[in-house]
Amino acid sequence: MTDIASSFLVPGQIALVTGGGSGIGQEIALVLALAGAEVIATDVNEDGLVETRARAEAEGISVAIQRLDVSDPDAVNRAVGQVVEQHGRLDILVNSAGVMTLVPALDVTPEELRRVLGINLDGTFYACQAAGRVMTQGGRIINLASAIVDRASAGRVTYAMSKGAIVQLTRTLAVELGEKGVRVNAIAPGWVESGITKQHWTDADGNEDQVMREAYRSTMAKASPLMTVGTVRDIALSALQLASAAGSFITGQVIRVNGGTMMV
């Protein structure tokens, strides 16, 4: 019998992960590396990238790191080109770079709108475009959407707009790149504790209010039939399935990893 476990491994695969300096992106980079991939983690947060590399070394694996501003299309094209030049190909792209601001729709400035969409949506598009041009049969693109695509949430209009558009981008690319044998999917995480969600209990100086943190976690847990919250590892393992042979017949899908808080 074929070894089922090997279907979830990605030995020797070349993976580029944006937003790899923190949170979900960092965890995905580590999980892919643990599963055998050669991972290049990118981010504008250089300190975060150093942390990613250190965490990898502590696990006995390696993750290459590179500063990258995904809102700069030329920089994204160069990054993908360098990967192909150094490794001969790009097998896996994970678009995890993103930001979220808490501003009511009527108060959003043009500058803030452009900043959020520039990172979340434009950055995802640029990376998909660059990767799609070089990927061949078996390539995999995984975009990070959000549970917010299935519900409205006051104060997060720019984030919601970007993530909703990413869902449609994912579906369109799945159709356009399918003939090349490239699979394109999105993950819509439910609430997990990460760099983005920490803003709910962190002040401008970076101090965390632990009472507020526990209250927020408790509220989120009660929204799930499982009465718990997820972890970044939960999201990363779903990304691994999509990146591996275990996900070979999945494309154009939005995988909701949310503990049942949204059922679509």
Side-chain angles (χ1 to χ4, degrees), residues 9-21:
L9 299 178
V10 286
Q13 297 288 287
I14 310 302
L16 178 66
V17 180
T18 73

Side-chain angles (χ1 to χ4, degrees), residues 19-57:
S22 65
I24 291 172
Q26 183 181 78
E27 197 70 13
I28 290 175
L30 293 171
V31 165
L32 289 176
L34 285 166
E38 294 186 44
V39 179
I40 302 95
T42 71
D43 208 304
V44 292
N45 179 2
E46 295 183 75
D47 290 340
L49 288 175
V50 171
E51 178 186 288
T52 301
R53 183 170 60 190
R55 285 189 62 195
E57 291 173 350

